[in-house]
Amino acid sequence: MGKLRNEKKLSALSVSEGVEQPGSINRDALDQLKRSKKKLPGTEELFNGVRRGDISQLGQAITLVESSLATHQKAAQDLISACLPFSGNAFRVGITGVPGAGKSTFIESLGMHIIQQGGKLAVLAIDPSSERTKGSILGDKTRMEALAGSPQAYIRPSPTGGTLGGVARKTRETIILCEAAGFDTVLIETVGVGQSETAVHGMADFFLLIMLAGAGDELQGIKRGIMEMADAIVINKADGNNIQKALRAQAEFTNALHLFPPSPSGWIPRVNTCSALHHTGISEVWEMAREYHTFVSENGFLVKKRQEQSRFWLHESLRDGIYNQVFNDPRMKEELLLHEKAIAEGRMTSFMAAASILNKYKSADKS
């Protein structure tokens, strides 16, 4: 009987203890999340890291500068002030172009050429933000794999945040940080043909317009104002069956540029062709850009241009600061809602409401 009872205990109906299952919380992921949320290093530590050319510290410094948190803004300004004496020595190149012109491919090809020539390159790729969600793709690193893998290059995609012409609000200060980190060339890629060109033109030494031949009437496809700002035009994708079209486009743009008023710099804008995909014509484009830089450095225009740019960004920063003060003041938010209602009901015009809000803001500020 005893033996039978033991056999029953070992029947197929008995339940084994099995293997202990892990907890529902992934501890490794939780620890990683905690580490990612740690505070940014202090201003002095970031400054020393930037001056050493530490890419990780540079990235953290740019994150501090781009932050909209009030606690970060004072530290960011202290960091910029410390880096300012070590900036200004880089060649700043703004690059724009029509959609599909191959800007990212061109920048990667040009960037690799600059590095091969012994340069150290920073690419500030301005990524468009959604007006609805304020989100952005930030995919420039995936489009520039070879450049992103080079230790002599640094690519920083930044969301526009819906600010001036689609240009990231802190791009100018990011340039200062990159220059203080030892980068001798800074490429600034814009979202595309639009208002952003005016802003990038206001922070670049050399402004390059990338065009595409064989896509319709090239001269009607862009704004005259953008062509007037360009120091050079490059017809990209001049390869295969497209070479003859690119040469025709080159002649058309060259003739069109002669109709514009002379540039204040004394430089005569040029039109080149290239194939970024096949790396042809890239060295000639860079040689032209370096020639421009030497030309405006020797005639004093570069210094004058940067002084004008600084004044431009002073005015823009004041406008931005006043706007933020008005919209972030709790009292003014209530006033804004009341005036919006008055406009909707037809009791005030937009201009009357704006003047009234500013007067109330000045009165509230004095009290």
Side-chain angles (χ1 to χ4, degrees):
M1 285 291 289
K3 184 177 179 182
L4 185 61
R5 279 196 296 268
N6 289 336
E7 288 178 352
K8 287 181 179 179
K9 287 181 181 179
L10 297 175
S11 70
L13 296 176
S14 61
V15 180
S16 60
E17 293 183 2
V19 179
E20 184 178 356
Q21 297 297 311
S24 59
I25 298 176
N26 187 330
R27 294 294 174 186
D28 291 337
L30 187 61
D31 291 340
Q32 185 177 354
L33 181 62
K34 288 180 179 178
R35 285 195 298 272
S36 68
K37 289 187 175 182
K38 67 181 181 180
K39 292 183 179 179
L40 290 169
T43 304
E44 185 175 356
E45 183 182 345
L46 285 175
F47 170 74
N48 291 331
V50 167
R51 290 295 296 140
R52 286 195 310 271
D54 186 314
I55 296 300
S56 176
Q57 295 278 311
L58 174 61
Q60 290 178 314
I62 296 174
T63 298
L64 177 67
V65 166
E66 290 180 343
S67 173
S68 58
L69 295 177
T71 53
H72 287 166
Q73 290 177 2
K74 175 62 169 62
Q77 291 309 309
D78 290 343
L79 177 61
I80 292 295
S81 297
C83 290
L84 197 57
F86 304 97
S87 67
N89 296 320
F91 183 24
R92 307 167 183 174
V93 180
I95 298 178
T96 189
V98 295
K103 291 192 295 294
S104 294
T105 305
F106 175 83
I107 289 172
E108 180 172 48
S109 185
L110 179 63
M112 294 304 294
H113 175 75
I114 293 170
I115 291 170
Q116 290 164 6
Q117 296 295 309
K120 193 175 179 185
L121 174 71
V123 179
L124 307 181
I126 311 303
D127 229 40
S129 294
S130 166
E131 287 299 316
R132 286 188 177 182
T133 65
K134 305 303 179 185
S136 58
I137 300 172
L138 303 177
D140 289 271
K141 282 192 175 183
T142 63
R143 295 196 296 267
M144 306 178 193
E145 291 182 10
L147 195 60
S150 172
Q152 297 302 311
Y154 175 67
I155 301 176
R156 176 74 182 199
S158 299
T160 61
T163 58
L164 176 63
V167 177
R169 179 173 172 264
K170 298 294 184 179
T171 301
R172 184 171 169 81
E173 291 175 333
T174 300
I175 292 172
I176 293 172
L177 293 177
C178 290
E179 291 177 341
F183 291 97
D184 51 48
T185 305
V186 180
L187 302 184
I188 311 158
E189 178 192 7
T190 70
V191 174
V193 174
Q195 287 181 316
S196 58
E197 279 61 39
T198 302
V200 170
H201 186 261
M203 64 178 77
D205 302 325
F206 181 74
F207 193 63
L208 187 63
L209 174 61
I210 310 296
M211 291 300 296
L212 182 64
D217 189 345
E218 288 84 4
L219 295 179
Q220 296 296 326
I222 59 173
K223 296 179 182 177
R224 173 191 168 100
I226 297 170
M227 285 186 64
E228 287 181 322
M229 288 190 292
D231 297 303
I233 297 174
V234 172
I235 313 298
N236 192 20
K237 302 186 181 181
D239 48 50
N241 297 329
N242 212 34
I243 292 178
Q244 292 303 317
K245 292 179 182 178
L247 292 175
R248 282 198 299 271
Q250 181 184 22
E252 290 174 3
F253 278 115
T254 301
N255 292 333
L257 288 174
H258 287 309
L259 302 176
F260 295 155
S263 170
S265 66
W267 171 264
I268 300 175
R270 303 178 190 175
V271 184
N272 279 34
T273 62
C274 78
S275 171
L277 184 63
H278 297 286
H279 312 291
T280 56
I282 296 296
S283 60
E284 288 80 3
V285 171
W286 186 237
E287 184 179 342
M288 173 183 59
R290 297 301 304 173
E291 187 180 337
Y292 167 89
H293 190 249
T294 301
F295 180 82
V296 295
S297 297
E298 290 177 351
N299 69 8
F301 180 78
L302 182 61
V303 173
K304 181 181 177 182
K305 183 176 184 179
R306 287 193 174 185
Q307 290 173 344
E308 290 176 352
Q309 289 174 344
S310 296
R311 285 194 293 270
F312 171 80
W313 286 105
L314 166 63
H315 296 167
E316 289 301 325
S317 297
L318 284 172
R319 292 188 187 98
D320 192 44
I322 293 170
Y323 177 91
N324 287 333
Q325 285 185 32
V326 170
F327 279 85
N328 291 332
D329 188 320
R331 296 168 297 179
M332 300 315 299
K333 285 182 179 179
E334 186 176 344
E335 287 291 337
L336 183 62
L337 291 173
L338 292 174
H339 283 75
E340 285 175 349
K341 183 179 179 182
I343 293 171
E345 294 174 352
R347 292 184 284 111
M348 296 182 91
T349 67
S350 301
F351 304 104
M352 291 168 58
S356 176
I357 290 172
L358 288 173
N359 286 332
K360 290 180 181 295
Y361 178 70
K362 286 188 287 186
S363 300
D365 190 48
K366 289 178 181 179
S367 62

